[in-house]
Amino acid sequence: MNNQEKFLRKNIGRKIKLARSKSDYTQEQLAEKLSLSTRYISQLERGIAFGSATTITNICKALNINSDFLFNDLIQNDSPVLNDIVDDKFLEDYLKLNDYNKLVVSSLASELVKLQDKNKIVKKA
């Protein structure tokens, strides 16, 4: 397996794990739902294994995601890779929040950026 294949598998695996976590499934529950082994789910999430088209389709259905979630940033070379922008753990936690708390996090992030920008101006002066 070449480096590009490893990169693709790891990124897709992270997204499967993220979607599973958002859906509040354990690896065991997802494996049972898909009639797969827990070990295989773990290997998919770590990028060690890669599923057939049928397996990937079934994973998307079980986790209520579309293929764009798994493949979009890997196919469009000009788009940033999500994993380079946001820490996986932060994203897992964020996706578990309800809509109100997502709004709170968004507002907090905006205010922090404003404070940061303000501090840059003060330091330049």
Side-chain angles (χ1 to χ4, degrees):
M1 179 180 355
N2 65 32
N3 285 338
Q4 183 176 2
E5 179 76 14
K6 287 178 186 175
F7 173 80
L8 292 172
R9 286 181 179 202
K10 284 189 179 254
N11 276 301
I12 292 167
R14 282 188 200 132
K15 291 176 186 177
I16 290 170
K17 180 180 179 181
L18 183 63
R20 177 182 58 77
S21 178
K22 181 180 185 264
S23 298
D24 288 326
Y25 283 123
T26 64
Q27 287 181 341
E28 293 80 11
Q29 291 168 325
L30 181 59
E32 185 176 320
K33 185 173 180 106
L34 297 171
S35 299
L36 299 170
S37 72
T38 302
R39 182 174 184 222
Y40 186 65
I41 297 296
S42 173
Q43 289 174 341
L44 285 171
E45 290 183 356
R46 291 180 289 139
I48 295 169
F50 188 76
S52 67
T54 301
T55 300
I56 296 298
T57 301
N58 289 339
I59 287 171
C60 288
K61 288 177 183 176
L63 298 176
N64 198 28
I65 58 174
N66 62 40
S67 60
D68 283 352
F69 177 76
L70 294 180
F71 299 107
N72 190 40
D73 64 328
L74 299 175
I75 295 170
Q76 296 177 352
N77 293 331
D78 60 342
S79 68
V81 176
L82 183 62
N83 296 322
D84 292 340
I85 299 171
V86 179
D87 175 77
D88 286 343
K89 177 66 176 133
F90 174 82
L91 195 51
E92 281 181 39
D93 290 341
Y94 177 80
L95 290 172
K96 290 178 184 177
L97 296 174
N98 62 32
D99 289 341
Y100 174 78
N101 286 328
K102 285 179 182 176
L103 182 62
V104 170
V105 169
S106 179
S107 297
L108 180 60
S110 293
E111 291 302 314
L112 287 171
V113 168
K114 288 176 189 175
L115 284 171
Q116 180 175 285
D117 292 343
K118 194 178 204 181
N119 286 335
K120 285 180 186 176
I121 293 170
V122 170
K123 287 182 181 180
K124 285 183 181 179

